Amino acid sequence: MTKRRIFDSIITRLVIMVVCLVCLGTVIRYYALGSFLRQELSTVVQEQQQAMAGYVARDIDDKITQRQTLLAQLATDLPQAMLVQPAALQDWLRQHYRYQSLFPGGLFVTDPHGRVIADYPTAPGRQNHSYAERDYIQSAAKGSRYIGKPVIGFALRTPILPMAIPLFDSNRRVSAILVGITPLSSPGFLDLLQKTQIGHGKGGFLLVSPRDNMYIATSQKKMALAPLPPRGNNPLHDRAMAGYRGSGITTNANGEEEVAAMVTVPSTNWFVVAQLPASEAFATVGHAQLFAIKGAIIATILFALLATVCMYFVLLPLFQAAEDAERMAHGDMPLLPLSIRRRDEVGHLIAAFNRLLGKLHEQQGQLERLAHHDTLTGLPNRRLLADRLKLALAQSRRHGTHLALLFMDLDGFKRINDSLGHDAGDEALCMVTARLQAIVRESDTLARIGGDEFVLLMSHLDAQAAEMARTVADKCIAAMQPPLLIGGAKFKVGISIGIALDRTDSTADSLMQEADQAMYLAKYNGGDCLRHN
């Protein structure tokens, strides 16, 4: 089977059509499934992010609150008299520092102007150093406890979170400021936020200070104390800075899509961000889509193979019928009805073809009859007579028999045509034919070769061929004696007969010429008689 035939095959076209439909359905399912799963997962992931951000925010809030409470208690317990006794104050700080672990960066006391009076543990350069420019000092100097902006500590040289609380004298004036320092990297402080990652490395937590416009701490240490990106880079972040707390899908400053949730840390007005790249959050969608595509490809291949095999067997009778029809067209086999193997649509098609073939046979038979028979009388014409004469000559020589040829022409026929017309003449010819057919044998051939000329071929004759031919000729003459009744009138029609017998050197043409000449001799002698060659 050639490639062209394969591509032109109805099976190939049907399989391609079905595969295209399956592929179209797969594409639709691919996007529909992706959209559905993404929508469902989006809700679930956002809720998960919200829950994790809330848990981290509560943890941070608890730790900040503990430090604020401890610092307030220390401020209450600190004797006012020690503010003028630096050595005693430092000893008091040392004693109280041992019993708490919430300020591993140390404690120090400043005067109302921010100059350090005493600290513990003693840090190089901190004694008598002025922190007047620090926001927490400025706020505490006005009488308010304050959580300062996270900075790189002057003494510790590491990121720290300072907390300050004012000490009041008997006149409710700020007499000193107590400061507690917590390094952001202190164990047990921001560990949950800094050491926890979400997903496979790019997701995590951010601790954001809207007041200070900075990241306090993140799961990625390089971002700690970094300024926030400009507005407009991350729509959800901009909403969070404006006070929105919740979750959503956004595009971060790096242009990457992510799922984020924001929860406030109540004690500081900071907020925690739990973020996860959308590529990881919705990885299941991609996996499901990939699984669907792989399944669809495998199913399509299996379906195409199965459909091809099934359709091949269904259409096999049609293929076989087409092969047989093609062989008939090339003449390799006779025109016969095709076999009907199944009574389905293919069987109905083959049956219709067989009916068409039958009509073609019928029409072909009619054409052959028209080509070899006289249309008026139904007798063989000159062409068929010639074929049968040649065949009879060959058989007579093979079997040692003889044949005779009787050439007959009607006498008085022209008068019927002239007086009554051609229709009457045709009727007369049919009557003559009927009378002659009643005389001849079944093995003989009676032919009409022209107007009113008839030829009788007598084959398979023995040595008495001449006598048998004369006997039949006499019968023909006798048969024409009764007049013909045409249109209410009687017409006498005679017949002139010329007889030719075969010889060893006879041919079909020579016999026809001899019989024709003998007929003209009969005509010349008055007609209604016979003559031999």
Side-chain angles (χ1 to χ4, degrees):
M1 184 178 289
T2 63
K3 290 183 179 179
R4 180 66 181 177
R5 189 169 179 181
I6 291 175
F7 289 126
D8 289 341
S9 171
I10 188 172
I11 292 180
T12 303
R13 295 180 181 181
L14 285 174
V15 169
I16 291 176
M17 180 186 70
V18 172
V19 168
C20 289
L21 290 176
V22 171
C23 291
L24 177 61
T26 300
V27 171
I28 293 175
R29 287 196 302 274
Y30 177 86
Y31 288 105
L33 178 64
S35 176
F36 173 76
L37 289 178
R38 184 182 174 92
Q39 184 176 0
E40 292 295 315
L41 280 177
S42 175
T43 303
V44 174
V45 172
Q46 288 184 52
E47 291 176 352
Q48 290 177 343
Q49 295 293 94
Q50 189 78 21
M52 288 189 290
Y55 178 77
V56 173
R58 286 191 299 273
D59 179 73
I60 294 174
D61 185 66
D62 289 343
K63 292 172 180 177
I64 295 295
T65 301
Q66 290 175 7
R67 283 162 174 77
Q68 289 179 318
T69 301
L70 174 61
L71 199 62
Q73 184 63 46
L74 291 175
T76 302
D77 295 341
L78 194 152
Q80 289 286 325
M82 289 186 179
L83 296 178
V84 294
Q85 303 174 19
L89 180 59
Q90 184 163 355
D91 185 61
W92 186 90
L93 290 175
R94 177 180 61 78
Q95 293 177 4
H96 286 79
Y97 179 82
R98 292 178 179 178
Y99 298 105
Q100 62 84 26
S101 60
L102 299 182
F103 296 105
L107 297 169
F108 64 88
V109 179
T110 71
D111 62 21
H113 304 292
R115 185 171 298 280
V116 177
I117 301 173
D119 70 327
Y120 189 87
T122 302
R126 191 153 58 186
Q127 282 286 347
N128 296 317
H129 180 76
S130 175
Y131 288 89
E133 78 282 1
R134 301 292 189 179
D135 57 344
Y136 55 91
I137 295 296
Q138 294 174 0
S139 181
K142 296 177 181 179
S144 301
R145 63 177 64 185
Y146 195 81
I147 298 176
K149 177 182 179 180
V151 294
I152 301 297
F154 171 77
L156 301 179
R157 302 301 178 186
T158 60
I160 62 170
L161 177 65
M163 294 183 184
I165 188 168
L167 280 72
F168 299 96
D169 59 16
S170 59
N171 296 320
R172 296 302 299 171
R173 289 181 299 184
V174 177
S175 59
I177 299 171
L178 177 60
V179 179
I181 302 298
T182 304
L184 297 182
S185 59
S186 298
F189 182 39
L190 300 179
D191 292 6
L192 186 61
L193 182 145
Q194 293 177 324
K195 296 181 180 180
T196 301
Q197 291 184 335
I198 306 174
H200 300 292
K202 291 188 177 182
F205 296 96
L206 305 173
L207 182 58
V208 179
S209 174
R211 182 195 68 189
D212 304 316
N213 196 39
M214 65 183 298
Y215 295 113
I216 297 175
T218 68
S219 297
Q220 300 177 7
K221 294 182 179 180
K222 62 180 181 180
M223 294 179 62
L225 304 187
L228 299 179
R231 294 181 64 85
N233 289 336
N234 188 329
L236 191 61
H237 173 79
D238 295 343
R239 292 178 61 194
M241 293 293 290
Y244 172 76
R245 297 296 180 263
S247 60
I249 300 176
T250 186
T251 302
N252 60 26
N254 297 325
E256 299 173 344
E257 189 180 32
E258 65 181 16
V259 181
M262 287 72 64
V263 177
T264 297
V265 179
S267 58
T268 60
N269 204 32
W270 299 338
F271 63 88
V272 173
V273 180
Q275 58 182 9
L276 178 66
S279 58
E280 295 185 26
F282 304 121
T284 303
V285 176
H287 296 159
Q289 289 178 319
L290 182 60
F291 177 79
I293 288 294
K294 289 181 178 179
I297 292 174
I298 295 173
T300 301
I301 293 174
L302 293 177
F303 174 80
L305 293 175
L306 183 60
T308 301
V309 173
C310 291
M311 282 191 286
Y312 175 79
F313 282 107
V314 169
L315 298 178
L316 182 59
L318 184 61
F319 295 151
Q320 294 172 340
E323 292 289 342
D324 292 342
E326 189 170 357
R327 291 175 62 192
M328 290 180 190
H330 288 89
D332 296 334
M333 63 181 296
L335 293 174
L336 297 174
L338 299 173
S339 300
I340 300 177
R341 295 175 175 85
R342 289 199 296 264
R343 295 293 179 180
D344 53 9
E345 287 80 359
V346 175
H348 292 318
L349 178 62
I350 296 174
F353 176 81
N354 288 341
R355 289 192 293 271
L356 178 62
L357 185 62
K359 287 187 176 293
L360 291 176
H361 276 302
E362 183 180 345
Q363 292 180 357
Q364 185 179 13
Q366 293 176 355
L367 291 174
E368 289 180 355
R369 183 171 182 81
L370 290 175
H372 294 90
H373 291 78
D374 176 48
T375 56
L376 176 63
T377 62
L379 296 176
N381 60 12
R382 183 185 293 272
R383 181 177 178 183
L384 182 56
L385 175 65
D387 291 340
R388 291 187 179 180
L389 181 55
K390 291 178 182 178
L391 180 60
L393 280 171
Q395 290 178 344
S396 65
R397 287 172 184 152
R398 186 180 303 114
H399 302 294
T401 58
H402 299 277
L403 60 85
L405 199 64
L406 281 64
F407 201 116
M408 297 176 282
D409 185 81
L410 300 181
D411 300 326
F413 176 73
K414 186 174 182 300
R415 184 166 56 89
I416 299 175
N417 269 341
D418 293 343
S419 60
L420 299 179
H422 290 288
D423 290 341
D426 290 344
E427 186 179 353
L429 289 173
C430 291
M431 291 180 180
V432 170
T433 299
R435 293 182 182 185
L436 295 177
Q437 284 180 323
I439 298 171
V440 301
R441 301 176 303 173
E442 291 185 1
S443 60
D444 297 337
T445 299
L446 176 64
R448 181 188 175 212
I449 63 172
D452 59 349
E453 295 179 339
F454 296 84
V455 174
L456 175 60
L457 172 60
M458 301 176 62
S459 57
H460 305 293
L461 303 178
D462 54 17
Q464 305 297 321
E467 184 177 348
M468 294 178 66
R470 284 193 299 272
T471 300
V472 172
D474 289 337
K475 290 181 179 181
C476 291
I477 294 172
M480 298 306 299
Q481 295 306 309
L484 302 177
L485 183 60
I486 303 173
K490 294 182 179 181
F491 293 90
K492 175 66 173 71
V493 176
I495 188 167
S496 299
I497 302 175
I499 301 174
L501 301 175
D502 67 317
R503 296 186 298 272
T504 56
D505 59 346
S506 295
T507 63
D509 291 338
S510 66
L511 281 174
M512 286 290 291
Q513 290 176 2
E514 291 174 3
D516 188 24
Q517 291 173 1
M519 183 272 296
Y520 275 107
L521 287 176
K523 284 276 190 184
Y524 183 77
N525 290 324
D528 208 17
C529 61
L530 63 89
R531 287 292 182 270
H532 287 281
N533 58 345

